[in-house]
């Protein structure tokens, strides 16, 4: 029944309106630059890395710092000035932000397909910076919840957009390391946020409370940067101002072999349905969800947990800095390992959970007077930060079709949001400062992540072998020229193989 699936899919696409085909299809036909030489390939890759990666890293850094500004300011009077009691901080810090983030994902998926992605990211960045600044005016639980909900909607645009951008510009082999680079924004944000927070905490002004300066300064920086992004971030290789017309054609040619498309502004319900029924997608969603329950606790309660180990409020903010350094080392390690060894991503996801699991067990069992051991265990838990980059790289590499990729990216971040919503609720106020339930949940999640990553590897191995057997049974099929026809991975069974 599947014998002529690829050729039939290609023919049906060609019969559709030309607008339904990926924009790179016509661009590649017009320029016909042919296969790249090694020198051209390296030259174009350098240009992309030097011009695009810094934009993505800075955007992701600001994204992390801005959403966690509430955590930095929590120990400096924000809770008292906003009259927060019981678990109201839990809701304001993480739960409402990520509920809004989650609800926005179906809309974000449609907007990514419908509008130029570079302009979309830039406008979202400027808007969330403006909303962040209004937090300084909040003096009640209701106003804080409203601001955090709007902020969650706006910040939710970045992650799915960046997965699509990564697949537009880099080959499947290059994507894990590049995603690791821009994901370093989390680590850089952790370090910069801790250092800036330490400095901002020393500002004394009788008119503006200490905690409000976090939002005013972070928000102003983001608005300014968003304006620059609007000018400089391209929508795809087809309109990058820092590439000549010939180099744009070479940039498109570089990613031809990905077979995952470059740019298409037509929403395709068939690809949406295929994504919703894809086993691989749901395993990745489950893995991402489980990983983000512990991550959400660090984001919302990082300084509070360290403060609970016995360190004062100011020093607790400074002690957040090593969290970012550890995460950066782990993320870079994962990126370089995927470049050095083929099909290692799922093994790395499983392996990084082991030290994190040990750290969570120690946090659950160590006596509270053992201050340094508790802090060290908390740092060890951060080794699981590699999971985010690797699962995102699997979505970028293994999902073809512009609508399907946008849908899968949004599903991942729905899972991310659910994890982030659940996480603060596990920090039960009556357990302060021990938070036994939170750390018990963390090591259960790490153990389940190991099982899901192994299950995903076995499934992908099975699917690749099935496709190999199918290709042998069918004989040689001619598949050149259809790389930019916006076909999904399941419509290209004869030629598309999943990375592990």
């Amino acid at each position: 029944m599947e014998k002529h699936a690829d050729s039939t899919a290609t023919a049906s696409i060609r019969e559709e309106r030309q607008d339904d085909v990926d924009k790179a299809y016509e661009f590649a036909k017009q320029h016909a630059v042919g296969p790249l030489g090694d020198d051209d390939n390296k030259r174009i890759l350098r240009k992309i890395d030097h011009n695009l990666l810094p934009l993505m890293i800075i955007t992701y850094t600001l994204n992390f710092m801005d959403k966690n500004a509430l955590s930095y300011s929590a120990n400096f009077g924000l809770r008292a000035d906003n009259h927060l009691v019981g678990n109201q901080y839990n809701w304001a810090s993480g739960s409402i932000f990520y509920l809004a983030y989650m609800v926005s994902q179906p809309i974000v998926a449609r907007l990514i397909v419908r509008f130029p992605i570079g302009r979309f990211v830039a406008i979202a960045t400027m808007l969330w910076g403006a909303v962040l600044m209004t937090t300084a005016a909040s003096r009640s639980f209701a106003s804080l919840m409203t601001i955090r909900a709007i902020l969650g909607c706006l910040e939710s645009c970045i992650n799915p957009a960046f997965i699509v951008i990564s697949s537009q510009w880099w080959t499947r082999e290059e994507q894990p390391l590049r995603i690791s680079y821009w994901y370093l924004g989390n680590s850089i944000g952790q370090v910069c946020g801790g250092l800036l927070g330490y400095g901002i905490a020393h500002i004394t002004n009788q008119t503006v409370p200490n905690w409000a300066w976090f939002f005013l300064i972070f928000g102003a920086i983001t608005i300014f940067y968003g304006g620059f992004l609007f000018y400089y971030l391209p929508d795809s290789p087809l309109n990058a101002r820092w590439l000549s017309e010939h180099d744009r054609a070479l940039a498109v040619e570089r990613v031809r072999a990905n077979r995952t498309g470059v740019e298409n502004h037509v929403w395709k319900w068939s690809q949406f349905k295929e994504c919703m029924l894809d086993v691989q997608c749901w395993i990745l969603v489950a893995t991402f969800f489980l990983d983000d329950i512990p991550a959400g606790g660090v984001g919302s309660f990082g300084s509070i947990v360290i403060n609970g180990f016995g360190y004062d409020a100011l020093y607790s903010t400074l002690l957040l800095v090593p969290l970012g350094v550890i995460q950066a080392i782990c993320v870079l390690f994962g990126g370089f390992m995927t470049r050095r060894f083929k099909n290692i991503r799922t093994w790395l996801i499983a392996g990084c959970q082991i030290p994190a699991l040990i750290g969570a067990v120690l946090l659950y069992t160590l006596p509270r007077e053992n201050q340094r051991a508790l802090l060290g265990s908390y740092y060890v838990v951060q080794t699981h930060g590699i999971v985010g980059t690797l699962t995102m790289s699997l979505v970028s590499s293994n999902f073809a079709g512009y609508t399907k990729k946008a849908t899968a990216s949004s599903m991942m971040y729905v899972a991310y949001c659910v994890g982030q919503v659940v996480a603060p609720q596990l920090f039960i106020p009556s357990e302060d400062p021990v938070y036994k339930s939170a750390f018990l949940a963390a090591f259960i999640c790490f153990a389940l992540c190991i099982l899901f990553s192994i299950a995903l590897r076995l499934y992908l191995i099975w699917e690749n072998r099935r496709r190999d057997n199918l290709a042998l049974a069918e004989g040689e099929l001619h598949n050149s020229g259809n790389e930019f026809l916006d076909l999904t991975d399941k419509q290209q069974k004869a030629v598309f193989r999943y990375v592990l």
Side-chain angles (χ1 to χ4, degrees):
M1 293 179 66
E2 295 178 321
K3 190 170 181 179
H4 300 294
D6 292 308
S7 55
T8 303
T10 302
S12 66
I13 292 286
R14 281 174 174 152
E15 290 170 4
E16 294 179 7
R17 294 183 299 108
Q18 195 64 37
D19 285 348
D20 288 353
V21 177
D22 195 291
K23 289 183 179 296
Y25 178 72
E26 279 301 318
F27 192 83
K29 277 178 60 178
Q30 290 170 8
H31 292 79
V33 293
L36 275 73
D38 193 48
D39 289 342
D40 272 340
N41 187 49
K42 289 179 179 179
R43 180 177 62 83
I44 298 298
L45 179 59
R46 278 195 303 271
K47 281 192 174 184
I48 295 169
D49 286 346
H50 291 165
N51 287 278
L52 188 60
L53 267 180
L55 299 180
M56 299 176 77
I57 292 169
I58 295 170
T59 306
Y60 214 70
T61 298
L62 294 174
N63 186 270
F64 180 88
M65 288 171 59
D66 292 352
K67 70 184 174 188
N68 286 299
L70 205 70
S71 176
Y72 300 133
S73 62
N75 290 327
F76 298 98
L78 176 138
R79 288 180 287 180
D81 285 355
N82 282 272
H83 313 292
L84 304 183
V85 295
N87 69 345
Q88 287 182 341
Y89 174 78
N90 304 38
W91 277 100
S93 65
S95 296
I96 190 62
F97 179 92
Y98 288 106
L99 277 172
Y101 199 123
M102 177 179 65
V103 171
S104 302
Q105 286 307 298
I107 301 168
V108 169
R110 292 296 300 270
L111 293 175
I112 286 173
V113 173
R114 180 66 184 84
F115 295 106
I117 200 164
R119 302 294 183 272
F120 176 68
V121 168
I123 291 170
T125 301
M126 287 186 283
L127 288 175
W128 98 57
V131 171
L132 183 70
M133 292 185 75
T134 67
T135 313
S138 175
R139 293 297 183 273
S140 69
F141 175 62
S143 61
L144 195 60
M145 288 282 281
T146 302
I147 293 167
R148 293 290 290 177
I150 298 171
L151 191 66
C153 291
L154 294 169
E155 289 208 33
S156 71
C157 304
I158 301 305
N159 284 298
F162 274 17
I163 292 178
V164 173
I165 290 171
S166 297
S167 68
Q168 288 178 324
W169 289 91
W170 291 289
T171 66
R172 295 209 291 172
E173 295 74 24
E174 294 162 355
Q175 285 167 19
L177 184 58
R178 270 65 187 186
I179 290 175
S180 296
Y181 284 147
W182 60 254
Y183 197 79
L184 276 177
N186 279 350
S187 307
I188 298 168
Q190 187 84 62
V191 174
C192 293
L195 293 173
L196 279 172
Y198 186 76
I200 291 169
H202 286 84
I203 296 175
T204 54
N205 186 300
Q206 293 186 355
T207 308
V208 181
N210 271 24
W211 62 266
W213 287 107
F214 287 87
F215 305 102
L216 294 173
I217 293 171
F218 287 10
I221 293 170
T222 300
I223 293 171
F224 177 79
Y225 176 72
F228 171 75
L229 210 59
F230 189 87
Y231 172 79
Y232 206 72
L233 181 65
D235 302 312
S236 74
L238 279 61
N239 69 347
R241 65 176 65 248
W242 33 267
L243 290 177
S244 66
E245 188 75 6
H246 180 67
D247 284 352
R248 291 173 191 172
L250 293 177
V252 168
E253 190 63 32
R254 282 186 74 253
V255 296
R256 179 186 289 274
N258 286 359
R259 309 188 75 89
T260 56
V262 173
E263 184 180 5
N264 188 295
H265 295 311
V266 177
W267 179 266
K268 298 179 181 176
W269 286 105
S270 60
Q271 292 191 12
F272 172 81
K273 181 181 178 182
E274 181 180 309
C275 186
M276 297 301 293
L277 298 175
D278 196 324
V279 173
Q280 178 188 188
C281 186
W282 287 107
I283 297 175
L284 285 169
V285 162
T287 304
F288 212 40
F289 163 71
L290 291 167
D291 179 68
D292 275 295
I293 291 177
V298 173
S300 297
F301 279 80
S303 62
I304 295 173
V305 168
I306 293 175
N307 185 231
F309 294 158
Y311 299 98
D312 64 47
L314 200 59
Y315 197 42
S316 296
T317 304
L318 195 59
L319 286 173
L320 289 173
V321 172
L323 292 175
V325 175
I326 292 165
Q327 187 183 56
I329 292 169
C330 293
V331 167
L332 287 174
F333 171 77
F336 282 110
M337 288 293 286
T338 56
R339 190 175 69 170
R340 177 70 179 83
F341 300 102
K342 195 175 181 181
N343 288 328
I344 197 177
R345 301 183 206 185
T346 48
W347 284 134
L348 286 171
I349 292 172
C352 75
Q353 304 292 335
I354 296 171
L357 191 153
I358 294 169
V361 171
L362 289 172
L363 284 167
Y364 186 75
T365 57
L366 282 171
R368 302 306 295 178
E369 59 270 17
N370 200 339
Q371 191 181 50
R372 291 183 180 178
L374 286 168
L375 183 62
S377 300
Y378 195 55
Y379 288 156
V380 168
V381 169
Q382 299 314 301
T383 58
H384 78 103
I386 191 177
V387 174
T389 64
L390 294 174
T391 50
M392 285 189 286
S393 77
L394 286 169
V395 171
S396 181
S397 299
N398 283 348
F399 290 80
Y402 203 78
T403 299
K404 184 176 182 180
K405 189 185 298 292
T407 303
S409 301
S410 292
M411 287 175 67
M412 292 290 286
Y413 284 99
V414 168
Y416 167 78
C417 294
V418 175
Q420 297 280 350
V421 168
V422 170
Q425 304 308 317
L426 296 171
F427 287 80
I428 301 168
S430 61
E431 295 182 351
D432 182 7
V434 180
Y435 297 121
K436 287 277 188 180
S437 298
F439 297 119
L440 174 64
F443 68 72
I444 291 172
C445 289
F446 293 141
L448 289 173
C449 267
I450 295 172
L451 297 178
F452 274 110
S453 57
I454 293 171
L456 177 61
R457 184 175 188 86
L458 294 175
Y459 170 75
L460 293 177
I461 290 171
W462 172 80
E463 179 62 26
N464 282 344
R465 286 177 179 170
R466 188 175 77 89
R467 292 182 177 211
D468 288 342
N469 293 334
L470 181 66
L472 286 172
E474 292 179 0
E476 281 296 317
L477 290 176
H478 180 69
N479 284 284
S480 62
N482 66 356
E483 296 91 348
F484 296 125
L485 291 180
D486 199 34
L487 300 172
T488 69
D489 46 284
K490 291 188 180 296
Q491 290 175 314
Q492 305 179 74
K493 289 186 174 71
V495 290
F496 195 99
R497 297 295 179 271
Y498 296 110
V499 295
L500 312 177

